[in-house]
Amino acid sequence: MEECKPTDILAGADSEYYWESYSHPGIHDEMLKDRHRTLSYKRALVPSVVKDKIVLDVGCGTGILSMFAARNGAKHVYAVEMSSVRKQAAEIIKLNGYENVITLIQGKMEEVEIPEKVDIIVSEWMGYNLMFESMLASVIYARDKYLKDDGIILPDTASIYIAGISDEELLQEKERFWSNVYGFDFSCILSDVTVDPLVDYCDSRYLCTAPIKMITFDLRHMSVNQMDFTVPFEFVINRDVPLSGICLYFDCTFLKKSYLTTKPDTNTHWKQTCFYFDLPFDNAGSGDIIKGVYHCKPAASHPRHLDIELKCSCEAKQWTNDQVYHMN
Ligand code: SAH
């Protein structure tokens, strides 16, 4: 396959609204208040990692990660930000006395010039369902252009997990709604109503399988092409309940020094992503083996969105479900 450049992946995706969305303090407020998220970066940017190092912060937002690095002795930090939140970042960096250590660079990572190679790249690029927003492409671009051969990237791995879910309440609610729409019976279109992946907190009591680690991305070495990935999975149902769909979440490691997880019952702003089947696998039961394939790629229509195909089957009960989802 021909190597595609990150700029190709994001070509046409840089509509104003993406940068607009990060201009509002509200989104940064939500991220900063996500303590598990922010503290996992704080724990990673300790003196033993950053002291005397040159650091590049891809998408610095309010500058929080740059300041963790500066406070712990980084020699210099380049903080790149495209959205207008960079104005607030400049004030915050000055207010905290780091304007000599942190150089704030205004612009798109793909378009600015960093004056030297760096020892560390740090970025909080993860989106819903891990890959939503496709910001990882910008981090890979920065890595290939500016990271020294022996440099490190934080986080250094990202893994995706899935588990089966049984959520009868949701199904009953759906059935109730479509069987009486302002007094009319719409139940015949229940299965036609497209269900987009639902980003929400998925209580662990809804899980009816053990979670499976589906894929791990090695962020130091992976290519942009791998953002379009297809992975098989297999899990075993552990209760006699209908299978409503799957729950997906991710985790990240930081050189084994820190760990960030978005698993059920953790409270991060990423929540979990649930993919419901149009029709649940009603006679699923304990011991049933579900085999499946998950294919996720930046959407052709808009590369910051995702097209996902999920195939699931239970051979013993001759059940299959093949469904396409769009995240936008
Ligand atoms: N690092 C901050 C913000 C993370 S959100 C924190 O941890 O709180 C991601 C930020 O990256 C957003 O502010 C977004 O505007 C910026 N960003 C995304 N892609 C970028 C790119 N290619 N060039 C510059 N900034 C980018």
Side-chain angles (χ1 to χ4, degrees), residues 98-161:
Y98 289 115
E99 69 269 40
N100 294 329
V101 187
I102 302 173
T103 302
L104 187 60
I105 299 177
Q106 315 194 350
K108 225 182 280 177
M109 189 65 239
E110 291 82 348
E111 292 171 2
V112 299
E113 279 301 318
I114 309 296
E116 59 184 322
K117 291 238 173 186
V118 304
D119 303 296
I120 299 173
I121 287 184
V122 65
S123 183
E124 200 276 75
W125 54 267
M126 297 84 78
Y128 296 131
N129 205 36
L130 186 64
M131 293 294 184
F132 191 63
E133 294 179 33
S134 296
M135 186 184 157
L136 176 58
S138 302
V139 178
I140 292 175
Y141 175 89
R143 180 199 69 190
D144 292 347
K145 193 163 176 195
Y146 296 113
L147 192 59
K148 291 180 186 169
D149 288 344
D150 59 350
I152 57 174
I153 188 158
L154 298 170
D156 60 334
T157 73
S159 302
I160 296 177
Y161 299 76

Side-chain angles (χ1 to χ4, degrees), residues 130 157-161 213 249-253 259-262:
L130 186 64
T157 73
S159 302
I160 296 177
Y161 299 76
K213 190 191 277 195
Y249 61 91
F250 63 88
D251 70 12
C252 291
T253 62
Y259 177 66
L260 184 165
T261 178
T262 65

Side-chain angles (χ1 to χ4, degrees), residues 89-321:
E91 286 175 38
I92 294 168
I93 289 166
K94 192 153 182 252
L95 181 65
N96 287 277
Y98 289 115
E99 69 269 40
N100 294 329
V101 187
I102 302 173
T103 302
L104 187 60
I105 299 177
Q106 315 194 350
K108 225 182 280 177
M109 189 65 239
E110 291 82 348
E111 292 171 2
V112 299
E113 279 301 318
I114 309 296
E116 59 184 322
K117 291 238 173 186
V118 304
D119 303 296
I120 299 173
I121 287 184
V122 65
S123 183
E124 200 276 75
W125 54 267
M126 297 84 78
Y128 296 131
N129 205 36
L130 186 64
M131 293 294 184
F132 191 63
E133 294 179 33
S134 296
M135 186 184 157
L136 176 58
S138 302
V139 178
I140 292 175
Y141 175 89
R143 180 199 69 190
D144 292 347
K145 193 163 176 195
Y146 296 113
L147 192 59
K148 291 180 186 169
D149 288 344
D150 59 350
I152 57 174
I153 188 158
L154 298 170
D156 60 334
T157 73
S159 302
I160 296 177
Y161 299 76
I162 61 161
I165 45 174
S166 186
D167 183 352
E168 282 172 283
E169 281 164 40
L170 185 108
L171 181 70
Q172 281 160 7
E173 193 187 301
K174 243 169 53 175
E175 279 170 353
R176 238 189 338 265
F177 177 78
W178 291 104
S179 66
N180 181 359
V181 180
Y182 302 95
F184 300 105
D185 185 355
F186 275 44
S187 57
C188 55
I189 66 157
L190 179 65
S191 64
D192 301 333
V193 182
T194 44
V195 186
D196 285 330
L198 190 68
V199 175
D200 205 349
Y201 292 112
C202 175
D203 203 296
S204 60
R205 74 194 154 97
Y206 292 135
L207 304 192
C208 61
T209 76
I212 302 296
K213 190 191 277 195
M214 203 162 51
I215 186 169
T216 295
F217 296 100
D218 169 358
L219 300 167
R220 181 68 182 84
H221 301 106
M222 76 174 280
S223 75
V224 167
N225 291 335
Q226 287 170 276
M227 290 173 64
D228 177 342
F229 61 97
T230 304
V231 272
F233 61 84
E234 185 174 317
F235 50 58
V236 184
I237 298 191
N238 58 21
R239 291 186 276 142
D240 288 330
V241 285
L243 181 69
S244 328
I246 64 150
C247 163
L248 184 149
Y249 61 91
F250 63 88
D251 70 12
C252 291
T253 62
F254 298 78
L255 300 175
K256 300 197 174 81
K257 288 206 173 322
S258 181
Y259 177 66
L260 184 165
T261 178
T262 65
K263 71 180 179 192
D265 306 335
T266 54
N267 225 357
T268 73
H269 75 288
W270 287 287
K271 304 175 181 171
Q272 290 80 40
T273 310
C274 292
F275 296 80
Y276 287 98
F277 303 141
D278 277 343
L279 292 174
F281 175 19
D282 274 327
N283 66 333
S286 185
D288 281 350
I289 298 170
I290 307 295
K291 291 187 179 174
V293 179
Y294 177 88
H295 177 199
C296 178
K297 63 172 184 187
S301 56
H302 191 308
R304 292 204 188 271
H305 298 170
L306 296 176
D307 282 338
I308 293 144
E309 186 179 7
L310 178 66
K311 291 183 187 174
C312 291
S313 64
C314 175
E315 207 180 340
K317 295 199 173 153
Q318 296 183 338
W319 170 83
T320 61
N321 191 71

Side-chain angles (χ1 to χ4, degrees), residues 18-19 22 28 31-32 37 57-62 64-65 80-83 85 107-110 124 135 138:
Y18 179 71
W19 307 114
Y22 279 111
H28 296 279
M31 290 188 291
L32 293 169
R37 178 203 86 107
D57 178 359
V58 180
C60 71
T62 54
I64 181 76
L65 309 184
V80 179
E81 177 57 52
M82 174 62 186
S83 90
V85 71
K108 225 182 280 177
M109 189 65 239
E110 291 82 348
E124 200 276 75
M135 186 184 157
S138 302

